[in-house]
Every structure is written in C-alpha cells, then in structure tokens.
Amino acid sequence: MSTPHPGSPPTDELPFFVYGTLLPGEPNHELFLRGRTTGERPAVLPRALLYDGPGYPYAIDGHGRVHGTLLTAVPGVYGELLGLLDHLEEYLGPGHPRNLYERVVREVELPGESGAGRGSEAAGGAGQGGVEVGGDGAGGEDVGGDGAGPVRAWVYLAAAAVTRSLRTGGSLIDGGRWVTGRPPGGPRTP
C-alpha cells in the first residue's frame, strides 16, 4: 500500500506523527525510519488518550494529549515509507475489519510554535521511550509546518474494535508519554 486509499482525505505528502515504537531510540525507528526521514521534532497530538498495549501503545480520540515526534519522509521515499508503516501498523484500508490501527489525518502541535503551548506538558523534554524526542540530529526542518499553528499529519489511531476494548478495560497511560521499559531486541511490536 504505497498510496492513500480511496475515500481518504486529500493528503499530498503529509508528515507522520509517531508516539510509540517508532520514536527515536526505539527499535522500530531503526528498522523503518532510519535514513527515510529528513526532519524529526517533538510534537503533541491534542484531543487524544494513550493506552498501554502488548509491547506498544495505542492512541485513541479523547480528552487528553499524546506526546510524540513529527517526522517528514525523505523526498522520493514517501510511498515506500507509507507502505511500510501501513504494514507495520496492520492497516489494510479505511474501516477494514482486520485493522489494528486506522491511519487518519489529525492536527498536531509543535511545542514552542504558535498555538502549541499548554504549559510544561507541551514543552518537549524527555519523550516517549525515555529518549529526547526530535532525535538524531536531523533538526526541525521539513516537518510540514511554517510556525503558524497546528500541522496536519498522518496518525495511526487504534481501530474501532481495539478502541472499544481499551475504553472498557484498557490501561490508560497518565501524561500521554509512552515508555517501553523493554530491552533492545525484544518482541516485534507495531
């Protein structure tokens, strides 16, 4: 799946907001993103909650904030990266009954940018996975925003069946920051 599915909102080449095992320093960042991104910087997904999963987190719509990283694909690899992430996140298409996650367009906030601040929650600092988000020296360039406010990005949210299960019996992650606590080389996680 290298292009957006029919019925998806217009996207051009949107950046991606990641919040779990794709964060800088996490195993899936090395496997799927290293060398495929031009810019990585701290970001916040408003109106969302973060739940613990079996080795990886799930974000769902809700009254909270999820901390992560906004990243942009290297020119020429966008379709490849989109396909890799769709496969990793078990996204088969909009509303598909076997989806683990849904790929949706959401507005994310860039700490320090206009419209992004909400106290220390959005101030960057140590990110998910126990590392400084923003990453590997790539800097803040090319993340799809001009500092004028929120940035539209692809986000993988838990699919409908997973969301229902999380709302009834899931483990909410306070503060919206995911930390693995798992050693490198652990089990495969989305």
Side-chain angles (χ1 to χ4, degrees), residues 1-115:
M1 289 175 233
S2 61
T3 59
H5 294 278
S8 296
T11 60
D12 297 318
E13 290 191 359
L14 292 176
F16 298 88
F17 175 81
V18 298
Y19 55 85
T21 66
L22 288 165
L23 287 167
E26 292 292 330
N28 283 335
H29 184 276
E30 292 298 315
L31 290 172
F32 295 94
L33 300 177
R34 175 74 58 200
R36 292 184 175 103
T37 64
T38 60
E40 300 178 353
R41 63 187 296 185
V44 176
L45 177 65
R47 298 173 298 284
L49 297 170
L50 197 62
Y51 282 85
D52 202 12
Y56 48 88
Y58 295 103
I60 67 170
D61 288 325
H63 299 290
R65 298 165 65 74
V66 173
H67 297 263
T69 298
L70 186 68
L71 55 91
T72 300
V74 167
V77 302
Y78 189 85
E80 173 194 2
L81 183 57
L82 188 65
L84 285 169
L85 295 179
D86 282 354
H87 179 75
L88 174 70
E89 305 293 9
E90 298 183 38
Y91 171 72
L92 302 175
H96 194 286
R98 291 192 354 235
N99 283 348
L100 184 61
Y101 291 88
E102 290 286 341
R103 176 169 37 90
V104 297
V105 176
R106 291 290 189 269
E107 288 189 345
V108 299
E109 301 169 347
L110 303 174
E113 301 288 339
S114 173

